[in-house]
Short mmCIF file of all heavy atoms in Angstrom, two decimals:
data_model
loop_
_atom_site.label_atom_id
_atom_site.label_comp_id
_atom_site.label_asym_id
_atom_site.label_seq_id
_atom_site.Cartn_x
_atom_site.Cartn_y
_atom_site.Cartn_z
N VAL A 1500 3.30 164.54 56.14
CA VAL A 1500 1.98 165.20 55.88
C VAL A 1500 1.00 164.12 55.40
O VAL A 1500 1.31 163.28 54.52
CB VAL A 1500 2.14 166.32 54.80
CG1 VAL A 1500 2.67 165.77 53.47
CG2 VAL A 1500 0.81 167.05 54.58
N ASN A 1501 -0.16 164.16 55.96
CA ASN A 1501 -1.26 163.20 55.59
C ASN A 1501 -2.08 163.85 54.47
O ASN A 1501 -2.46 165.01 54.54
CB ASN A 1501 -2.14 162.92 56.78
CG ASN A 1501 -1.48 162.10 57.85
OD1 ASN A 1501 -0.40 161.53 57.59
ND2 ASN A 1501 -2.08 161.97 59.01
N LEU A 1502 -2.34 163.01 53.46
CA LEU A 1502 -3.21 163.42 52.34
C LEU A 1502 -4.47 162.57 52.32
O LEU A 1502 -4.33 161.35 52.29
CB LEU A 1502 -2.42 163.31 51.00
CG LEU A 1502 -1.03 163.97 50.90
CD1 LEU A 1502 -0.45 163.63 49.55
CD2 LEU A 1502 -1.16 165.49 51.04
N GLU A 1503 -5.59 163.14 52.34
CA GLU A 1503 -6.82 162.40 52.35
C GLU A 1503 -7.15 161.95 50.90
O GLU A 1503 -7.26 162.80 49.97
CB GLU A 1503 -8.00 163.18 52.91
CG GLU A 1503 -9.25 162.34 53.12
CD GLU A 1503 -10.32 163.06 53.90
OE1 GLU A 1503 -10.65 164.21 53.50
OE2 GLU A 1503 -10.88 162.51 54.85
N VAL A 1504 -7.27 160.68 50.70
CA VAL A 1504 -7.49 160.17 49.31
C VAL A 1504 -8.89 159.61 49.18
O VAL A 1504 -9.40 159.36 48.11
CB VAL A 1504 -6.50 159.09 48.93
CG1 VAL A 1504 -5.11 159.68 48.85
CG2 VAL A 1504 -6.51 157.88 49.91
N ALA A 1505 -9.57 159.36 50.29
CA ALA A 1505 -10.98 158.95 50.36
C ALA A 1505 -11.45 159.31 51.79
O ALA A 1505 -10.65 159.59 52.66
CB ALA A 1505 -11.07 157.42 50.13
N VAL A 1508 -9.63 158.16 54.82
CA VAL A 1508 -8.44 157.38 54.40
C VAL A 1508 -7.35 158.39 54.02
O VAL A 1508 -7.55 159.28 53.19
CB VAL A 1508 -8.75 156.47 53.20
CG1 VAL A 1508 -7.50 155.75 52.79
CG2 VAL A 1508 -9.86 155.50 53.55
N VAL A 1509 -6.18 158.21 54.64
CA VAL A 1509 -5.04 159.09 54.34
C VAL A 1509 -3.86 158.28 53.86
O VAL A 1509 -3.74 157.09 54.19
CB VAL A 1509 -4.62 159.94 55.58
CG1 VAL A 1509 -5.77 160.80 56.07
CG2 VAL A 1509 -4.11 159.05 56.71
N VAL A 1510 -3.00 158.92 53.07
CA VAL A 1510 -1.69 158.35 52.73
C VAL A 1510 -0.67 159.36 53.12
O VAL A 1510 -0.90 160.49 53.43
CB VAL A 1510 -1.65 158.14 51.13
CG1 VAL A 1510 -2.65 157.08 50.72
CG2 VAL A 1510 -1.91 159.45 50.40
N ASP A 1511 0.55 158.86 53.14
CA ASP A 1511 1.69 159.66 53.60
C ASP A 1511 2.33 160.44 52.42
O ASP A 1511 2.92 159.80 51.51
CB ASP A 1511 2.74 158.78 54.21
CG ASP A 1511 2.32 158.17 55.49
OD1 ASP A 1511 2.09 158.89 56.45
OD2 ASP A 1511 2.20 156.94 55.59
N GLY A 1512 2.20 161.73 52.48
CA GLY A 1512 2.79 162.58 51.42
C GLY A 1512 4.30 162.75 51.57
O GLY A 1512 4.93 163.18 50.66
N GLY A 1513 4.79 162.42 52.74
CA GLY A 1513 6.20 162.54 53.02
C GLY A 1513 6.77 161.24 53.58
O GLY A 1513 6.40 160.14 53.10
N GLY A 1667 -3.07 155.70 60.36
CA GLY A 1667 -3.53 157.12 60.31
C GLY A 1667 -2.53 158.04 59.81
O GLY A 1667 -2.78 159.32 59.78
N GLY A 1668 -1.41 157.54 59.28
CA GLY A 1668 -0.40 158.37 58.63
C GLY A 1668 0.65 158.90 59.60
O GLY A 1668 0.41 159.09 60.76
N GLN A 1670 2.06 161.77 59.87
CA GLN A 1670 1.87 163.07 60.47
C GLN A 1670 1.05 163.01 61.75
O GLN A 1670 1.07 163.94 62.51
CB GLN A 1670 1.12 164.02 59.44
CG GLN A 1670 1.06 165.49 59.89
CD GLN A 1670 0.20 166.28 59.03
OE1 GLN A 1670 -0.48 165.83 58.16
NE2 GLN A 1670 0.21 167.63 59.24
N LYS A 1750 5.60 162.65 45.46
CA LYS A 1750 4.90 161.37 45.63
C LYS A 1750 3.52 161.45 44.97
O LYS A 1750 2.73 162.38 45.26
CB LYS A 1750 4.74 160.99 47.13
CG LYS A 1750 6.10 160.80 47.83
CD LYS A 1750 5.90 160.52 49.31
CE LYS A 1750 5.47 159.08 49.50
NZ LYS A 1750 5.53 158.71 50.93
N VAL A 1751 3.20 160.56 44.05
CA VAL A 1751 2.02 160.58 43.27
C VAL A 1751 1.28 159.28 43.55
O VAL A 1751 1.77 158.23 43.44
CB VAL A 1751 2.28 160.72 41.76
CG1 VAL A 1751 0.97 160.94 41.00
CG2 VAL A 1751 3.29 161.84 41.49
N PHE A 1752 0.01 159.49 44.00
CA PHE A 1752 -0.88 158.37 44.37
C PHE A 1752 -2.06 158.20 43.38
O PHE A 1752 -2.78 159.15 43.16
CB PHE A 1752 -1.43 158.61 45.79
CG PHE A 1752 -0.41 158.82 46.81
CD1 PHE A 1752 0.09 160.11 47.04
CD2 PHE A 1752 0.09 157.77 47.59
CE1 PHE A 1752 1.06 160.30 48.02
CE2 PHE A 1752 1.02 157.97 48.56
CZ PHE A 1752 1.54 159.27 48.80
N ARG A 1839 -9.13 158.86 41.59
CA ARG A 1839 -8.46 160.17 41.59
C ARG A 1839 -6.93 159.97 41.68
O ARG A 1839 -6.49 158.84 41.97
CB ARG A 1839 -8.93 161.01 42.80
CG ARG A 1839 -8.62 160.34 44.13
CD ARG A 1839 -9.27 161.13 45.31
NE ARG A 1839 -8.81 162.55 45.35
CZ ARG A 1839 -8.87 163.29 46.43
NH1 ARG A 1839 -9.33 162.75 47.57
NH2 ARG A 1839 -8.48 164.51 46.41
N VAL A 1841 -3.65 161.90 43.46
CA VAL A 1841 -3.25 162.86 44.49
C VAL A 1841 -1.77 162.96 44.45
O VAL A 1841 -1.04 161.94 44.42
CB VAL A 1841 -3.73 162.47 45.89
CG1 VAL A 1841 -3.28 163.48 46.89
CG2 VAL A 1841 -5.28 162.36 45.89
N GLU A 1842 -1.21 164.20 44.50
CA GLU A 1842 0.23 164.36 44.43
C GLU A 1842 0.69 165.34 45.53
O GLU A 1842 0.03 166.35 45.76
CB GLU A 1842 0.67 164.89 43.07
CG GLU A 1842 2.14 165.16 42.94
CD GLU A 1842 2.57 165.44 41.53
OE1 GLU A 1842 1.73 165.32 40.63
OE2 GLU A 1842 3.81 165.76 41.35
N GLN A 1843 1.76 164.96 46.19
CA GLN A 1843 2.48 165.90 47.10
C GLN A 1843 3.67 166.42 46.42
O GLN A 1843 4.61 165.70 46.10
CB GLN A 1843 2.87 165.16 48.40
CG GLN A 1843 3.74 166.03 49.35
CD GLN A 1843 3.03 167.24 49.81
OE1 GLN A 1843 1.85 167.26 49.95
NE2 GLN A 1843 3.79 168.28 50.21
N ASN A 1844 3.66 167.75 46.14
CA ASN A 1844 4.68 168.45 45.41
C ASN A 1844 5.65 169.13 46.32
O ASN A 1844 5.32 170.18 46.84
CB ASN A 1844 4.07 169.40 44.41
CG ASN A 1844 5.10 170.06 43.49
OD1 ASN A 1844 6.33 169.90 43.69
ND2 ASN A 1844 4.66 170.81 42.52
N TRP A 1845 6.74 168.54 46.64
CA TRP A 1845 7.65 169.11 47.59
C TRP A 1845 8.45 170.28 47.08
O TRP A 1845 8.96 171.10 47.82
CB TRP A 1845 8.66 168.03 48.09
CG TRP A 1845 7.94 167.07 49.01
CD1 TRP A 1845 7.56 165.82 48.72
CD2 TRP A 1845 7.58 167.34 50.37
NE1 TRP A 1845 6.94 165.28 49.84
CE2 TRP A 1845 6.94 166.15 50.87
CE3 TRP A 1845 7.74 168.44 51.23
CZ2 TRP A 1845 6.46 166.06 52.14
CZ3 TRP A 1845 7.24 168.31 52.52
CH2 TRP A 1845 6.60 167.17 52.96
#
Side-chain angles (χ1 to χ4, degrees):
V1500 59
N1501 289 348
L1502 307 176
E1503 188 171 50
V1504 296
V1508 178
V1509 299
V1510 294
D1511 292 295
Q1670 190 188 7
K1750 298 179 74 172
V1751 189
F1752 302 87
R1839 62 187 301 201
V1841 178
E1842 180 169 354
Q1843 173 63 26
N1844 185 352
W1845 287 103

